[in-house]
Amino acid sequence: MFKAMLIKEFILVWRDKYALAALFIMPSVFILIMSVALKDTFNRERTLLNYAVIDQDQSLQSSKMRIFLADNRALQEQHVTISGAAERQRALHENLHFVLTIAQGFSESYTQMEPEGSKLQLYAAADVRPEMLSLFKAEIALGVTRLRIEKMKTELAPYLPELVQELEAIDFHGEGLVNVRFNALAADEKPTSTQQSVPSWIVFGMFFIIIPMSTIFISERKQNTLMRMSAMNISIPALFAGKIVPYMVINQIQVWLMIAVGIFVVPFFGADALTLGRSISGLFMVSLGLSLAAIGTSVLIAVTVATVEQATTIGGIINILLGAIGGIMVPKFYMPSSMQELANLSPMSWGLEGFLDIFLRGFGPEAVVVDSLKLAGFGAGLLLLAGIVFSYKIRRGI
Amino acid sequence: MITIKNLVKRYDDLLALDHIDLSVGKGVIFGLLGPNGAGKTTLVSILNGLTGFQEGEIEIFGLPLEQEPAAIRKRCAFIPQALALYENLSVIENLRFFAGIQKITGADLRHNLDYAISVNRLQPMLKQKAGTLSGGQKRRLNIAIGLLNNPEILYFDEPTVGIDPDGRNEILETIRNFKNDAKTVIYTSHYMPEIEKLCDEVAIIDRGRIIRQGLLETMLQEEKTDSVVIELLSSNSAQLHELVQKLEDVEVIDAATLVMQQQNSTKMGALLAALAAENITLKEIRYGTTNLESLFIRLTSSSHEGSDV
């Protein structure tokens, strides 16, 4: 019986080009676009801030200050001429994050600690993120510190040559001082945009079975094929099982197709290839839980609404809302804490966290047991509710 | 084969079936005739175990339906009024799917598929998608699906709705042939000529009650009287009622039908003159015969009159 249902559902989905596009092409394209679009997010060599310096001091110290700032690869000095407040404002509005003015007399006053004596004036664009402002201020402070150490070195050289030698060896950016190792990754491994975006879009894509599954179910209800199946001794649990099994298989095909896109296709577009993590069994646990959750949602929609049009609209809205709340479109770490708590209510968030545990954090199956059980429980609950609604409707001849 | 005793079905306050008693023997083509909303589909749904009932007993193949629905359904087929098939699957894919979910395999599958295909003349269109078939071909596929379990009882719920006369005749021919295979057919319809052409026995159902049942031939014979049925082309009910008040022994059946209880040339002359005076055109005059339609009209209209009192 399940074989017949499996074949039937496969043929129906295969012949529905819109369903195919929603199930397989759309999430694959998402993975490709997001992996490529975000590929620089994890690149520690990329420029984060553009700035200009107005050097009114024209001293050795002001020149060195510019060199020190340029040492940080996240900062990029733009050599533009800014000769007034209006030009500065325009530049900050258009392409610069900061304009640093080094006023005349800086070379004499940089050793003073009082703000009123400072010859450094920083102008920031209105939309600069607070952490970027902190980064740039810290870099300026580091530049001033280096200038002061240089002065000390010059003054101490005749008396304490050993100390000066030690001071020469200071690594101001900590490249040789701090060894960074990412949690659960190998020493030479770094998190990539592909590892971040593939899980999100796998989860989102899996929930897209809501549309073909509910529309096929409603068509069957409308055309009396479900009634005919009941007359052929197919019980409601068997009927539901006949839906669950094929769509679980379809979901698994989706998961592995999208993983294949991450591994083999994404690198052709310049982004990092996906790596599978260390737990295939964990991957199966999360994806099967997600399948049940998506199928439960689909069947409940299918037995509740009256028409295919309603199912398509409601299914699409639910999918997008769950995705928005669950951290698919906006990663949870960008959300305020109240939104993060709300995100934890979305099954998509449970699935995403499970996949991130496997793909990004490199955990084993034990890490995803809770999320997988939550997903399976959610799906089973919705299926039970759908069964009650469907039985009621059959009894009432609706 | 099918025995129904004192069957009652209610939907909240609506009495859909009112103490139905019915018996259908093996190999009979049994017509369930009634106007829309009479309770035919409800009765067929109950017999297929798709809907429950509040009172009464039903036995099919000697088995109680309430206790043995699965065993009974295995030996029956329900051909619903709607085309219960998959338009995006081909004819053979539809047949294989419905056979598969009934766990029909091996030699049984081959035999039953061949039977369903040949009886319904589907061989030339096996690979065609069901959605591309004509209305009549879809109806035949709908029937073929019902034959896959080689059923002993077939329930047809208005199977010729929405198809042209040629397609309708083909389907009636197919159903008539089931008699040769000793299959029992329960056929619901409100098309009287179909029932008259097809059925051996008939039950007339109206407002949830069976108002007449028996052998069709006997029923028509019993109804045969000296009456004369006058069919009219144009008139209205009020006009006819006014007209018959002046005449003896003439009844209005509906807006286009009059019945004179006894043949009488004087009275007939008076009736024809009155009709001519009112400019009412005649369509047909039938002496001494009763067709199912006039029997049905008489029974259902008297049933409605009785219930109005």
Side-chain angles (χ1 to χ4, degrees), chain B residues 166-197:
Chain B
D166 286 346
R168 182 176 296 185
N169 285 334
E170 277 189 9
I171 286 170
L172 294 181
E173 186 61 35
T174 304
I175 294 170
R176 198 178 291 120
N177 287 335
F178 291 143
K179 207 171 159 60
N180 304 331
D181 299 328
K183 294 186 188 299
T184 303
V185 173
I186 309 291
Y187 188 94
T188 79
S189 180
H190 60 269
Y191 292 135
M192 259 100 1
E194 275 186 11
I195 298 266
E196 208 168 341
K197 268 188 198 172

Side-chain angles (χ1 to χ4, degrees), chain A residues 179-196:
Chain A
N179 182 23
V180 179
R181 173 96 186 251
F182 291 96
N183 189 28
L185 299 183
D188 57 344
E189 267 186 301
K190 291 170 186 170
T192 67
S193 61
T194 314
Q195 301 297 111
Q196 284 274 356

Side-chain angles (χ1 to χ4, degrees), chain B residues 35-48:
Chain B
N36 288 331
K40 306 182 298 286
T41 301
T42 301
L43 180 57
V44 170
S45 295
I46 289 172
L47 291 172
N48 279 284

Side-chain angles (χ1 to χ4, degrees), chain A residues 43 48 93 257 275:
Chain A
N43 181 358
L48 290 175
H93 179 69
L257 177 78
T275 51

Side-chain angles (χ1 to χ4, degrees), chain B residues 5-249:
Chain B
K5 287 181 191 163
N6 214 21
L7 178 69
V8 174
K9 168 72 183 174
R10 286 187 203 89
Y11 292 107
D12 296 326
D13 293 336
L14 176 75
L15 188 59
L17 295 175
D18 184 4
H19 299 90
I20 299 273
D21 289 297
L22 200 66
S23 177
V24 181
K26 187 177 164 68
V28 168
I29 299 184
F30 190 93
L32 206 50
L33 181 62
N36 288 331
K40 306 182 298 286
T41 301
T42 301
L43 180 57
V44 170
S45 295
I46 289 172
L47 291 172
N48 279 284
L50 298 171
T51 309
F53 52 94
Q54 283 81 25
E55 291 173 39
E57 289 170 27
I58 300 175
E59 276 192 6
I60 301 175
F61 311 118
L63 301 168
L65 178 65
E66 280 191 289
Q67 280 82 49
E68 304 280 355
I72 292 169
R73 281 198 292 235
K74 219 171 174 179
R75 297 163 65 184
C76 300
F78 176 42
I79 291 94
Q81 185 179 338
L83 294 164
L85 43 83
Y86 292 94
E87 302 236 326
N88 256 345
L89 297 187
S90 69
V91 170
I92 190 68
E93 284 164 350
N94 265 292
L95 293 170
R96 286 192 179 280
F97 167 68
F98 283 105
I101 61 167
Q102 293 179 91
K103 297 172 189 162
I104 301 164
T105 53
D108 282 347
L109 175 64
R110 283 191 294 277
H111 173 265
N112 296 359
L113 265 181
D114 286 347
Y115 176 70
I117 290 167
S118 65
V119 163
N120 290 285
R121 297 177 297 284
L122 292 171
Q123 192 64 48
M125 59 206 77
L126 283 180
K127 289 188 176 166
Q128 212 173 315
K129 269 195 200 173
T132 65
L133 300 175
S134 70
Q137 289 168 336
K138 283 181 187 172
R139 289 272 161 206
R140 273 156 40 202
L141 174 58
N142 204 30
I143 295 172
I145 291 167
L147 296 177
L148 290 168
N149 61 334
N150 196 14
E152 292 166 61
I153 301 177
L154 286 131
Y155 298 94
F156 286 90
D157 188 14
E158 312 237 11
T160 59
V161 169
I163 54 170
D164 58 44
D166 286 346
R168 182 176 296 185
N169 285 334
E170 277 189 9
I171 286 170
L172 294 181
E173 186 61 35
T174 304
I175 294 170
R176 198 178 291 120
N177 287 335
F178 291 143
K179 207 171 159 60
N180 304 331
D181 299 328
K183 294 186 188 299
T184 303
V185 173
I186 309 291
Y187 188 94
T188 79
S189 180
H190 60 269
Y191 292 135
M192 259 100 1
E194 275 186 11
I195 298 266
E196 208 168 341
K197 268 188 198 172
L198 193 67
C199 297
D200 310 309
E201 292 182 36
V202 173
I204 298 176
I205 185 166
D206 188 30
R207 296 185 175 193
R209 280 180 297 160
I210 291 189
I211 51 178
R212 190 73 176 268
Q213 68 171 297
L215 285 171
L216 179 63
E217 208 179 320
T218 314
M219 219 185 270
L220 293 176
Q221 202 64 38
E222 282 170 4
E223 284 293 315
K224 201 170 174 181
T225 60
D226 278 350
S227 64
V228 183
V229 177
I230 301 108
E231 302 262 3
L232 308 170
L233 270 183
S234 60
S235 68
N236 65 61
S237 198
Q239 189 184 17
L240 286 183
H241 276 98
E242 197 178 319
L243 186 141
V244 298
Q245 279 177 354
K246 303 168 199 162
L247 302 164
E248 281 180 57
D249 285 344

